[in-house]
Structures are given as C-alpha cells and as structure tokens.
Amino acid sequence: MHEVDLGLDTFGDVTIGEDGERVSDAQTIRDIVEQAVVADQVGLSFFGVGEHHRHEFAVSSPELVLAAAAARTDSIHLGTAVTVLSSDDPVRVYERFATLDALSHGRAEVILGRGSFIESFPLFGYDLKDYEVLFEERLDLFSQLLREQPVTWQGTTRAALAGADVYPKTEHGITAWVGVGGSPESVVRTARYGYGLMLAIIGGAASRFRPYVDLYHRSLDSFGRDPGLVGIHSPGHVADTDEQAWEELYPAMEANRNAIGAERGWPPYSRLQFQHDVGPEGAVYAGSPETVARKIAATVQTLGADRFDLKYANGTLSHGRMLRSIELYGTKVAPMVGELLAAS
C-alpha cells in the first residue's frame, strides 16, 4: 500500500465576502488562521502559506501567520508555499523557522523557491539579472545552516560568514523542501542538496511530471543521498457535488487568472479551459469528494508521491466556501484516497 499525506496550501488570496465586497487584508489574514484551525481539527497533515508582495494576496510574512496558527493547533505541520529565498537572507529564514519550530513543538516545515512573481526583487533591492545566482547561493548557504553547526561560507550576493553560529537551535531539525515548476536543472539541484521535491503542477496532466520524479530519484542516488520525499501542489476546491464545486470555483479562478494574465499576456480564461482543467488531464482538483479523491489517488499512483497539497484558496472564493472545502477534504476526501490506494 502506498500511503500519502494530504495537506493544504494558500497564498492568502484576498477574497470577496458574502456581501459581494472585497475583504480587507487584515480580515483575510485572520481568516487564514481560522482555516488552519479547521484543517487541524479534520486531521490533515500540512498547512502551507505562500509569500507574495502584491495586492491580490494578503500574506507577505507567512511565518507570522503560521506562528498564530501554531498557538491554536495541535498536530498539523505548518510551513510555507513557498518562501522566496532568492530575495531573503538565509540566516534570517533559518532563524524564523527555528522559532516557528519551537512554538509549534517541532511541526515547522519550509518549502523554498524562487516564486512565480518578481515583486520582491526590486522591493528588497535585488537585481533580476542575478536571478539564478541569488537562488543558487542562498540555497547553498541555507543547506549549511540546517546542519545547526558553525558555518563558514563565501559567495557573491551577501557577506561571507566565518564560523558563524545561528540561533535558536531546534530540537529535531527542520524539514525542508524545494518547490519546482518543472525544469530538469531545478530537480537535479534539489537532489544535490538532499531536499524534498515539491512539484507545482498547475497546468496539464500530472503524468508529464513522471520523468522529473524519476530524475530526482536517480539524482539522489548518484549524489549518495538518502531517499527523498516527493510532494505535489495543485489547485482545487471541494463541495458536495461536482456542479456546486465548479460553479463556486470558476468565477473565483476566472477573476484571478484574468487579473494576472493581463500582466503576462495570457488569453482570457474561459469555461472551456476550466472544464478541461477539472477533467482527468487537467491540473485542477475540483468537484465532489469522490471526484477529487479519485483524481488525487490517480495522481499519487502515477507519480509515487508522498504528499499532496491542495491549493484550496483560489482568487475571490469566499471564506465560508473555503472552510466547507477544507472540512470535506479532511473528512471525506482523505479517507477515500486512503481506501483507493489500499484497493489498488
């Protein structure tokens, strides 16, 4: 039997309330904490909060939101989705997550990435021409910091360290992943440092990522690393029926895709595209509990994944609908996925 953990991710999308008005950033952040509490209550394994620096998303400091969630939850692991390491300082990232790990009694995880947006680079004074070297050097330094021993390090994008010790120390270390969008170079780098591989599958069939999973495992072996974990991050929404889930999700996704797409030159999002995305060959896991469970189980089997994180917050989807989605995901989808995997 292949067992899989089920988790949730949010970027802190600023939503529309039941009255049709835009919810404040402050209320959105408070709502995220409530969503984490419900996720813990229904027995889910992970709750991730992404970092962004734009008006569609309320969370620019995920660790603070996760610390608030840590104080109100008992079992669920808490982490990012993702931490934009390229425009942050690895020492401060380690310190913040070590602190979160203490507050949560060892439940902190970090998913490192370059992010899909670039606002943080000019905001914090970084040049986009250094995009690659910033991530490479910071990942290298962070890898050394995770050993929790004095670090001597030198690079080109920040001050050198000579025997620097960093605090606080954790009790059992921090679980760390790298979020990968699908480049072979990123997969090999993830394996070289021994991180878990978190695949962001936001378009197309999951099966096209199987070569990346195989490359990851081969690379781990070639580098002499221990076997690693494979995770999946994909958007979705759960409601009582397929039709209800699709009718609730489409307007929210359409608003979000079109707002971002206007900046990136994407064509307008359509019902036709949406129906493909929620189908067997699409990357959106939306529908009734049975529909979502079957699609997750098929993806887990195809990729041999250890964790599946549903990005449950999508555009302007309301807080109430997200809470219901979380409830169904934990109480209905998770048991069904376990049964389907056991039966296979």
Side-chain angles (χ1 to χ4, degrees), residues 4 19 27 35 55 81 90 112 117 123 133 180 184 189 194 198 217 220 263 286 293 297 302 313:
V4 64
D19 59 0
Q27 186 59 52
Q35 291 154 16
H55 72 279
L112 306 167
F117 297 95
L123 188 63
V133 69
V180 173
R189 176 170 51 205
M198 182 59 67
H217 291 307
L220 284 170
E263 299 177 6
T302 298

PDB file of all heavy atoms in Angstrom, residues 4 19 27 35 55 81 90 112 117 123 133 180 184 189 194 198 217 220 263 286 293 297 302 313:
ATOM      1  N   VAL A   4      -0.102   8.227   1.601  1.00  0.00           N
ATOM      2  CA  VAL A   4       0.164   9.607   1.211  1.00  0.00           C
ATOM      3  C   VAL A   4      -0.429  10.541   2.264  1.00  0.00           C
ATOM      4  O   VAL A   4      -1.497  10.273   2.829  1.00  0.00           O
ATOM      5  CB  VAL A   4      -0.441   9.905  -0.188  1.00  0.00           C
ATOM      6  CG1 VAL A   4      -1.960   9.790  -0.169  1.00  0.00           C
ATOM      7  CG2 VAL A   4      -0.012  11.277  -0.695  1.00  0.00           C
ATOM      8  N   ASP A  19     -21.260  39.427   1.094  1.00  0.00           N
ATOM      9  CA  ASP A  19     -21.978  40.644   0.711  1.00  0.00           C
ATOM     10  C   ASP A  19     -21.487  41.211  -0.613  1.00  0.00           C
ATOM     11  O   ASP A  19     -21.958  42.260  -1.065  1.00  0.00           O
ATOM     12  CB  ASP A  19     -21.825  41.708   1.807  1.00  0.00           C
ATOM     13  CG  ASP A  19     -20.363  42.065   2.076  1.00  0.00           C
ATOM     14  OD1 ASP A  19     -19.465  41.487   1.418  1.00  0.00           O
ATOM     15  OD2 ASP A  19     -20.129  42.931   2.944  1.00  0.00           O
ATOM     16  N   GLN A  27      -8.524  41.094   7.572  1.00  0.00           N
ATOM     17  CA  GLN A  27      -9.501  40.035   7.805  1.00  0.00           C
ATOM     18  C   GLN A  27      -9.106  38.759   7.072  1.00  0.00           C
ATOM     19  O   GLN A  27      -9.293  37.650   7.585  1.00  0.00           O
ATOM     20  CB  GLN A  27     -10.896  40.479   7.359  1.00  0.00           C
ATOM     21  CG  GLN A  27     -11.995  39.482   7.715  1.00  0.00           C
ATOM     22  CD  GLN A  27     -12.074  39.219   9.214  1.00  0.00           C
ATOM     23  OE1 GLN A  27     -12.153  40.155  10.000  1.00  0.00           O
ATOM     24  NE2 GLN A  27     -12.036  37.949   9.621  1.00  0.00           N
ATOM     25  N   GLN A  35      -8.790  28.960   9.093  1.00  0.00           N
ATOM     26  CA  GLN A  35      -8.738  27.841   8.146  1.00  0.00           C
ATOM     27  C   GLN A  35      -7.722  26.801   8.601  1.00  0.00           C
ATOM     28  O   GLN A  35      -7.963  25.595   8.480  1.00  0.00           O
ATOM     29  CB  GLN A  35      -8.417  28.376   6.752  1.00  0.00           C
ATOM     30  CG  GLN A  35      -9.550  29.205   6.154  1.00  0.00           C
ATOM     31  CD  GLN A  35      -9.091  30.237   5.130  1.00  0.00           C
ATOM     32  OE1 GLN A  35      -7.971  30.176   4.626  1.00  0.00           O
ATOM     33  NE2 GLN A  35      -9.952  31.187   4.822  1.00  0.00           N
ATOM     34  N   HIS A  55      -1.080  43.032  -4.500  1.00  0.00           N
ATOM     35  CA  HIS A  55      -2.375  43.357  -3.893  1.00  0.00           C
ATOM     36  C   HIS A  55      -3.358  42.196  -3.904  1.00  0.00           C
ATOM     37  O   HIS A  55      -4.317  42.182  -3.117  1.00  0.00           O
ATOM     38  CB  HIS A  55      -3.003  44.563  -4.605  1.00  0.00           C
ATOM     39  CG  HIS A  55      -3.502  44.266  -5.985  1.00  0.00           C
ATOM     40  ND1 HIS A  55      -2.664  44.227  -7.079  1.00  0.00           N
ATOM     41  CD2 HIS A  55      -4.752  43.987  -6.438  1.00  0.00           C
ATOM     42  CE1 HIS A  55      -3.374  43.939  -8.160  1.00  0.00           C
ATOM     43  NE2 HIS A  55      -4.631  43.784  -7.800  1.00  0.00           N
ATOM     44  N   ALA A  81       4.608  28.054   1.269  1.00  0.00           N
ATOM     45  CA  ALA A  81       4.272  27.544  -0.053  1.00  0.00           C
ATOM     46  C   ALA A  81       4.349  28.660  -1.113  1.00  0.00           C
ATOM     47  O   ALA A  81       3.346  28.976  -1.716  1.00  0.00           O
ATOM     48  CB  ALA A  81       2.860  26.963  -0.026  1.00  0.00           C
ATOM     49  N   PRO A  90      19.217  33.933   3.991  1.00  0.00           N
ATOM     50  CA  PRO A  90      19.107  32.569   4.522  1.00  0.00           C
ATOM     51  C   PRO A  90      19.244  32.484   6.039  1.00  0.00           C
ATOM     52  O   PRO A  90      18.588  31.645   6.669  1.00  0.00           O
ATOM     53  CB  PRO A  90      20.251  31.828   3.820  1.00  0.00           C
ATOM     54  CG  PRO A  90      20.488  32.595   2.566  1.00  0.00           C
ATOM     55  CD  PRO A  90      20.224  34.032   2.915  1.00  0.00           C
ATOM     56  N   LEU A 112      11.207  26.004   0.011  1.00  0.00           N
ATOM     57  CA  LEU A 112      11.992  27.095  -0.566  1.00  0.00           C
ATOM     58  C   LEU A 112      11.745  27.164  -2.068  1.00  0.00           C
ATOM     59  O   LEU A 112      11.563  26.140  -2.726  1.00  0.00           O
ATOM     60  CB  LEU A 112      13.482  26.855  -0.305  1.00  0.00           C
ATOM     61  CG  LEU A 112      13.877  26.637   1.151  1.00  0.00           C
ATOM     62  CD1 LEU A 112      15.292  26.095   1.238  1.00  0.00           C
ATOM     63  CD2 LEU A 112      13.746  27.938   1.929  1.00  0.00           C
ATOM     64  N   PHE A 117       6.386  35.185  -8.949  1.00  0.00           N
ATOM     65  CA  PHE A 117       6.286  36.637  -9.140  1.00  0.00           C
ATOM     66  C   PHE A 117       7.625  37.277  -8.787  1.00  0.00           C
ATOM     67  O   PHE A 117       8.419  36.704  -8.045  1.00  0.00           O
ATOM     68  CB  PHE A 117       5.175  37.229  -8.260  1.00  0.00           C
ATOM     69  CG  PHE A 117       3.800  36.720  -8.598  1.00  0.00           C
ATOM     70  CD1 PHE A 117       3.261  35.647  -7.908  1.00  0.00           C
ATOM     71  CD2 PHE A 117       3.056  37.309  -9.604  1.00  0.00           C
ATOM     72  CE1 PHE A 117       2.003  35.164  -8.218  1.00  0.00           C
ATOM     73  CE2 PHE A 117       1.795  36.847  -9.921  1.00  0.00           C
ATOM     74  CZ  PHE A 117       1.257  35.763  -9.234  1.00  0.00           C
ATOM     75  N   LEU A 123      11.672  45.301  -4.553  1.00  0.00           N
ATOM     76  CA  LEU A 123      11.224  45.751  -3.234  1.00  0.00           C
ATOM     77  C   LEU A 123      12.349  45.683  -2.214  1.00  0.00           C
ATOM     78  O   LEU A 123      12.490  46.567  -1.355  1.00  0.00           O
ATOM     79  CB  LEU A 123      10.039  44.890  -2.776  1.00  0.00           C
ATOM     80  CG  LEU A 123       9.310  45.319  -1.502  1.00  0.00           C
ATOM     81  CD1 LEU A 123       8.671  46.688  -1.669  1.00  0.00           C
ATOM     82  CD2 LEU A 123       8.248  44.283  -1.133  1.00  0.00           C
ATOM     83  N   VAL A 133      21.856  33.213  -9.754  1.00  0.00           N
ATOM     84  CA  VAL A 133      22.928  33.118  -8.759  1.00  0.00           C
ATOM     85  C   VAL A 133      22.405  33.389  -7.357  1.00  0.00           C
ATOM     86  O   VAL A 133      22.879  32.802  -6.376  1.00  0.00           O
ATOM     87  CB  VAL A 133      24.101  34.050  -9.121  1.00  0.00           C
ATOM     88  CG1 VAL A 133      23.724  35.526  -8.977  1.00  0.00           C
ATOM     89  CG2 VAL A 133      25.325  33.733  -8.271  1.00  0.00           C
ATOM     90  N   VAL A 180       9.441  23.182  -7.149  1.00  0.00           N
ATOM     91  CA  VAL A 180       9.961  23.109  -8.519  1.00  0.00           C
ATOM     92  C   VAL A 180       8.803  23.180  -9.503  1.00  0.00           C
ATOM     93  O   VAL A 180       7.802  22.475  -9.350  1.00  0.00           O
ATOM     94  CB  VAL A 180      10.760  21.805  -8.728  1.00  0.00           C
ATOM     95  CG1 VAL A 180      11.168  21.638 -10.187  1.00  0.00           C
ATOM     96  CG2 VAL A 180      11.993  21.788  -7.834  1.00  0.00           C
ATOM     97  N   PRO A 184      14.459  20.426 -15.458  1.00  0.00           N
ATOM     98  CA  PRO A 184      15.366  19.357 -15.016  1.00  0.00           C
ATOM     99  C   PRO A 184      16.498  19.874 -14.131  1.00  0.00           C
ATOM    100  O   PRO A 184      16.897  19.203 -13.171  1.00  0.00           O
ATOM    101  CB  PRO A 184      15.904  18.784 -16.330  1.00  0.00           C
ATOM    102  CG  PRO A 184      14.873  19.127 -17.356  1.00  0.00           C
ATOM    103  CD  PRO A 184      14.312  20.444 -16.924  1.00  0.00           C
ATOM    104  N   ARG A 189      19.282  20.001  -8.858  1.00  0.00           N
ATOM    105  CA  ARG A 189      19.790  20.824  -7.758  1.00  0.00           C
ATOM    106  C   ARG A 189      19.115  20.444  -6.451  1.00  0.00           C
ATOM    107  O   ARG A 189      19.772  20.362  -5.401  1.00  0.00           O
ATOM    108  CB  ARG A 189      19.568  22.309  -8.074  1.00  0.00           C
ATOM    109  CG  ARG A 189      19.976  23.250  -6.935  1.00  0.00           C
ATOM    110  CD  ARG A 189      19.950  24.686  -7.407  1.00  0.00           C
ATOM    111  NE  ARG A 189      18.698  25.017  -8.060  1.00  0.00           N
ATOM    112  CZ  ARG A 189      18.561  25.991  -8.974  1.00  0.00           C
ATOM    113  NH1 ARG A 189      19.611  26.703  -9.341  1.00  0.00           N
ATOM    114  NH2 ARG A 189      17.400  26.236  -9.518  1.00  0.00           N
ATOM    115  N   GLY A 194      19.782  17.410  -1.214  1.00  0.00           N
ATOM    116  CA  GLY A 194      19.055  16.471  -0.371  1.00  0.00           C
ATOM    117  C   GLY A 194      17.721  16.964   0.147  1.00  0.00           C
ATOM    118  O   GLY A 194      17.212  16.461   1.157  1.00  0.00           O
ATOM    119  N   MET A 198       9.040  19.301  -4.118  1.00  0.00           N
ATOM    120  CA  MET A 198       7.633  19.693  -4.162  1.00  0.00           C
ATOM    121  C   MET A 198       7.325  20.210  -5.566  1.00  0.00           C
ATOM    122  O   MET A 198       7.789  21.275  -5.968  1.00  0.00           O
ATOM    123  CB  MET A 198       7.350  20.783  -3.126  1.00  0.00           C
ATOM    124  CG  MET A 198       5.886  21.221  -3.072  1.00  0.00           C
ATOM    125  SD  MET A 198       4.713  19.894  -2.676  1.00  0.00           S
ATOM    126  CE  MET A 198       5.161  19.521  -0.973  1.00  0.00           C
ATOM    127  N   HIS A 217      14.921  10.828  -8.233  1.00  0.00           N
ATOM    128  CA  HIS A 217      15.389   9.646  -7.524  1.00  0.00           C
ATOM    129  C   HIS A 217      16.747   9.178  -8.051  1.00  0.00           C
ATOM    130  O   HIS A 217      17.623   8.790  -7.263  1.00  0.00           O
ATOM    131  CB  HIS A 217      14.354   8.531  -7.638  1.00  0.00           C
ATOM    132  CG  HIS A 217      13.098   8.795  -6.875  1.00  0.00           C
ATOM    133  ND1 HIS A 217      13.083   9.122  -5.536  1.00  0.00           N
ATOM    134  CD2 HIS A 217      11.785   8.786  -7.270  1.00  0.00           C
ATOM    135  CE1 HIS A 217      11.836   9.293  -5.125  1.00  0.00           C
ATOM    136  NE2 HIS A 217      11.035   9.096  -6.160  1.00  0.00           N
ATOM    137  N   LEU A 220      19.360  11.664  -6.612  1.00  0.00           N
ATOM    138  CA  LEU A 220      19.639  11.396  -5.198  1.00  0.00           C
ATOM    139  C   LEU A 220      20.618  10.241  -5.064  1.00  0.00           C
ATOM    140  O   LEU A 220      21.576  10.300  -4.282  1.00  0.00           O
ATOM    141  CB  LEU A 220      18.343  11.060  -4.453  1.00  0.00           C
ATOM    142  CG  LEU A 220      17.400  12.203  -4.106  1.00  0.00           C
ATOM    143  CD1 LEU A 220      16.080  11.646  -3.593  1.00  0.00           C
ATOM    144  CD2 LEU A 220      18.001  13.139  -3.066  1.00  0.00           C
ATOM    145  N   GLU A 263      -1.262  40.965 -17.088  1.00  0.00           N
ATOM    146  CA  GLU A 263       0.135  41.392 -16.973  1.00  0.00           C
ATOM    147  C   GLU A 263       1.064  40.519 -17.819  1.00  0.00           C
ATOM    148  O   GLU A 263       2.101  40.982 -18.283  1.00  0.00           O
ATOM    149  CB  GLU A 263       0.595  41.306 -15.511  1.00  0.00           C
ATOM    150  CG  GLU A 263      -0.184  42.179 -14.548  1.00  0.00           C
ATOM    151  CD  GLU A 263       0.285  41.978 -13.115  1.00  0.00           C
ATOM    152  OE1 GLU A 263       1.292  41.247 -12.923  1.00  0.00           O
ATOM    153  OE2 GLU A 263      -0.341  42.536 -12.203  1.00  0.00           O
ATOM    154  N   ALA A 286     -11.122  19.695  -8.585  1.00  0.00           N
ATOM    155  CA  ALA A 286     -12.363  20.311  -8.110  1.00  0.00           C
ATOM    156  C   ALA A 286     -13.533  19.403  -8.390  1.00  0.00           C
ATOM    157  O   ALA A 286     -13.636  18.797  -9.461  1.00  0.00           O
ATOM    158  CB  ALA A 286     -12.573  21.665  -8.796  1.00  0.00           C
ATOM    159  N   ALA A 293     -11.142  12.794  -4.737  1.00  0.00           N
ATOM    160  CA  ALA A 293     -10.369  11.684  -4.186  1.00  0.00           C
ATOM    161  C   ALA A 293      -9.837  10.779  -5.295  1.00  0.00           C
ATOM    162  O   ALA A 293      -8.674  10.345  -5.258  1.00  0.00           O
ATOM    163  CB  ALA A 293     -11.230  10.873  -3.213  1.00  0.00           C
ATOM    164  N   ALA A 297      -5.877  10.205  -5.968  1.00  0.00           N
ATOM    165  CA  ALA A 297      -5.320   8.853  -5.881  1.00  0.00           C
ATOM    166  C   ALA A 297      -4.622   8.474  -7.177  1.00  0.00           C
ATOM    167  O   ALA A 297      -3.531   7.871  -7.154  1.00  0.00           O
ATOM    168  CB  ALA A 297      -6.424   7.856  -5.543  1.00  0.00           C
ATOM    169  N   THR A 302       0.464   7.632 -10.084  1.00  0.00           N
ATOM    170  CA  THR A 302       1.261   7.927 -11.279  1.00  0.00           C
ATOM    171  C   THR A 302       2.645   8.445 -10.920  1.00  0.00           C
ATOM    172  O   THR A 302       3.646   8.080 -11.550  1.00  0.00           O
ATOM    173  CB  THR A 302       0.534   8.964 -12.158  1.00  0.00           C
ATOM    174  OG1 THR A 302      -0.718   8.411 -12.600  1.00  0.00           O
ATOM    175  CG2 THR A 302       1.364   9.345 -13.373  1.00  0.00           C
ATOM    176  N   ALA A 313      -7.300  27.860  -1.667  1.00  0.00           N
ATOM    177  CA  ALA A 313      -7.679  29.271  -1.804  1.00  0.00           C
ATOM    178  C   ALA A 313      -7.400  29.696  -3.240  1.00  0.00           C
ATOM    179  O   ALA A 313      -6.265  29.646  -3.702  1.00  0.00           O
ATOM    180  CB  ALA A 313      -6.876  30.131  -0.830  1.00  0.00           C
TER     181      ALA A 313
END
